[in-house]
Amino acid sequence: MARAQRIVVIGVGNEFRHDDGVGWAVVARLEERMAGRSLPWETVPAMCDGDPVRLMELWEGADLAVVVDAARTRPPSPGRVHRLALDDVLPQWPAAASSHGLELGDAVELSGVLGRLPHRLVVYAVEGADSTVGRGLSDAVAARVESLVREVEADIAHCVADMSRAHRKDVP
């Protein structure tokens, strides 16, 4: 019997630090959309504060893990999105990519060493404007939430299509 695919979408951050809550906002919006129409039943939305061990627990065994997190860059370009995809080789992760100091690259490398990487990993890093204490996204970051949800849904659809093709090849 074929193993059911599992897809996890992880919003990383802190909704009480303005733009650092973008990952959570994307996952919350995805959950709203899931209630109105179907995504694969194996799609699991999750929130995470960025703890590397928790990330590894969430994505272990997944066919696809999508991580959405805020990022700080110099010079900043609030709302700009960087998409990083892990396939068979570990990408070079930018230093201090996360707005809260999480070394996502370290979590990926440790997962690789421990054999706990998902089959596919996609990271969306959204440049923020404000990570001070408070609720609500800046206008530039809030304007990207809906398009990010659509991009995540496209990643999910692509994974499901690939898994379906692979399953058809395995069935005699």
Side-chain angles (χ1 to χ4, degrees):
M1 177 171 17
R3 175 181 69 84
Q5 67 190 41
R6 188 171 76 85
I7 298 167
V8 62
V9 180
I10 306 167
V12 176
N14 181 341
E15 68 178 330
F16 298 107
R17 295 194 65 84
H18 290 291
D19 289 343
D20 193 41
V22 67
W24 289 36
V26 168
V27 169
R29 181 67 182 116
L30 181 67
E31 288 179 308
E32 290 171 13
R33 289 171 66 114
M34 287 173 64
R37 64 186 167 107
S38 62
L39 283 174
W41 65 268
E42 305 87 357
T43 301
V44 178
M47 308 288 197
C48 181
D49 63 2
D51 176 69
V53 173
R54 177 77 175 127
L55 280 170
M56 290 189 304
E57 289 172 350
L58 288 168
W59 69 41
E60 183 177 15
D63 290 291
L64 170 65
V66 179
V67 177
V68 182
D69 195 5
R72 284 186 296 205
T73 60
R74 298 285 183 244
S77 182
R80 183 169 58 179
V81 176
H82 304 269
R83 184 182 187 277
L84 305 167
L86 170 73
D87 290 322
D88 294 324
V89 290
L90 294 177
Q92 294 294 5
W93 298 90
S98 172
S99 64
H100 45 83
L102 166 70
E103 294 295 333
L104 183 57
D106 292 337
V108 170
E109 288 182 35
L110 181 57
S111 289
V113 168
L114 297 175
R116 297 175 69 181
L117 278 172
H119 179 72
R120 293 181 184 156
L121 174 63
V122 176
V123 176
Y124 288 95
V126 184
E127 292 185 33
D130 183 0
S131 62
T132 61
V133 174
R135 294 194 71 165
L137 302 175
S138 66
D139 290 343
V141 173
R144 290 301 309 225
V145 170
E146 192 62 34
S147 64
L148 276 166
V149 171
R150 286 192 304 270
E151 290 179 53
V152 169
E153 288 174 327
D155 286 324
I156 292 169
H158 182 75
C159 178
V160 169
D162 285 352
M163 294 298 291
S164 179
R165 281 191 294 275
H167 177 70
R168 284 193 303 269
K169 288 179 184 177
D170 292 341
V171 175

